[in-house]
Amino acid sequence: MSAAAPGTAAVSPPWAACDPYAAALRAGRGPLFLRRADGWLLPLEVERWCARADPVDRAVLDRCEGTVLDVGCGPGRLVAELAARGRTVLGIDVSEDAVAHTRRIGGPALHRSVFEPLPGTGRWGTVLLMDGNVGIGGDPRALLDRVAALLAPGGLLIAETVPVDIDERAQVEVVDSTGGLGGGPFPWARLGTPALLRIARRAGWRTERQWAAGGRCFAALRSRSASSRAEPPKRTAVISSQRARKPSVDRPVADR
């Protein structure tokens, strides 16, 4: 899971090294929540994220095409599974602890926001937005535009959506069971499949498939082909508090 805020200046990443998210990743368990300003709590599935890829995950990964970029890879179960299959894959996350965990279990990963310069831009075969990461930055259209720029023409986006029809934008914070905070509030979005498909259609994406498995919902979207891709709208790049390293322009996966 990863986050950043479109159209803002550099901010501290919400998953700072001292925050409850980092502590939960190191322990491999929660409880951990996203908390809205009104006090509503969304439980985060830390134990599942820190485990190996489950059958639902593996079925999603079976659909991946070409090289794969996992945006907001968290502790890296999907990246590690794809790497074990011999696939060219890269995970990115703004949490240093998440990136370190991903590397420990055999997955290549970078400490990077999706809105920062990334290796392989315009050449990825598949981008993953799993575990609610379609909400990154609180502006789904901005995220979809960025993903379209990362993918090769006609590339595939696989996104996990909320299993209800919802389109919510809010400021949230990461908290643990004691109420401990980390990183301050940041913008987030929660989208059901209908909302995602509406936004994607307006942005020029084509729906490839939607499905549900294990109580989770997914949508596969196809980006515009080279012949139909229009010039994307100019948006302010989102950066974390970390200075972006210059990515490789020759390889889709950067060296660690």
Side-chain angles (χ1 to χ4, degrees), residues 2-235:
S2 175
T8 65
V11 294
S12 296
W15 326 115
C18 60
D19 75 13
Y21 178 73
L25 290 191
R26 289 193 292 268
R29 62 181 183 276
L32 200 66
F33 309 89
L34 288 184
R35 185 174 71 188
R36 280 192 322 224
D38 62 4
W40 178 85
L41 296 174
L42 174 68
L44 300 179
E45 299 181 78
V46 178
E47 289 83 358
R48 181 171 67 80
W49 297 346
C50 290
R52 297 180 59 131
D54 63 24
V56 175
D57 294 328
R58 293 195 294 272
V60 170
L61 300 183
D62 289 343
R63 300 179 186 275
C64 290
E65 302 172 356
T67 58
V68 182
L69 178 67
D70 186 2
V71 174
C73 66
R77 74 189 191 283
L78 305 179
V79 179
E81 172 67 21
L82 285 168
R85 297 182 183 192
R87 300 292 296 271
T88 300
V89 60
L90 176 67
I92 60 168
D93 205 286
V94 296
S95 164
E96 291 182 279
D97 287 86
V99 169
H101 190 283
T102 300
R103 292 173 174 174
R104 280 197 301 272
I105 64 174
L110 290 178
H111 181 213
R112 199 75 58 86
S113 161
V114 65
F115 294 98
E116 291 181 312
L118 291 170
T121 294
R123 302 196 302 276
W124 293 99
T126 303
V127 168
L128 296 174
L129 289 172
M130 297 281 280
D131 302 326
N133 285 330
V134 71
I136 286 173
D139 184 343
R141 175 59 190 267
L143 182 59
L144 286 175
D145 287 345
R146 174 57 175 154
V147 170
L150 292 169
L151 284 167
L156 187 68
L157 165 63
I158 301 179
E160 183 171 354
T161 58
V162 178
V164 294
D165 189 1
I166 188 172
D167 185 351
E168 176 186 80
R169 322 295 165 88
Q171 291 284 320
V172 297
E173 292 182 278
V174 181
V175 300
D176 59 21
S177 58
T178 70
L181 302 173
F186 56 94
W188 197 254
R190 296 177 67 231
L191 297 180
T193 299
L196 174 62
L197 297 187
R198 286 194 298 271
I199 297 167
R201 186 166 52 250
R202 291 194 293 267
W205 293 78
R206 176 170 57 86
T207 302
E208 187 104 333
R209 186 174 178 189
Q210 51 184 299
W211 72 98
R216 299 161 63 190
C217 293
F218 306 90
L221 305 173
R222 185 73 61 181
S223 68
R224 291 185 291 265
S225 65
S227 60
S228 62
R229 177 171 290 183
E231 183 69 20
K234 289 181 167 52
R235 293 182 181 269

Side-chain angles (χ1 to χ4, degrees), residues 235-249:
R235 293 182 181 269
T236 303
V238 176
I239 59 175
S240 73
S241 61
Q242 300 295 320
R243 184 181 300 274
R245 290 171 292 175
K246 183 177 180 181
S248 167
V249 297

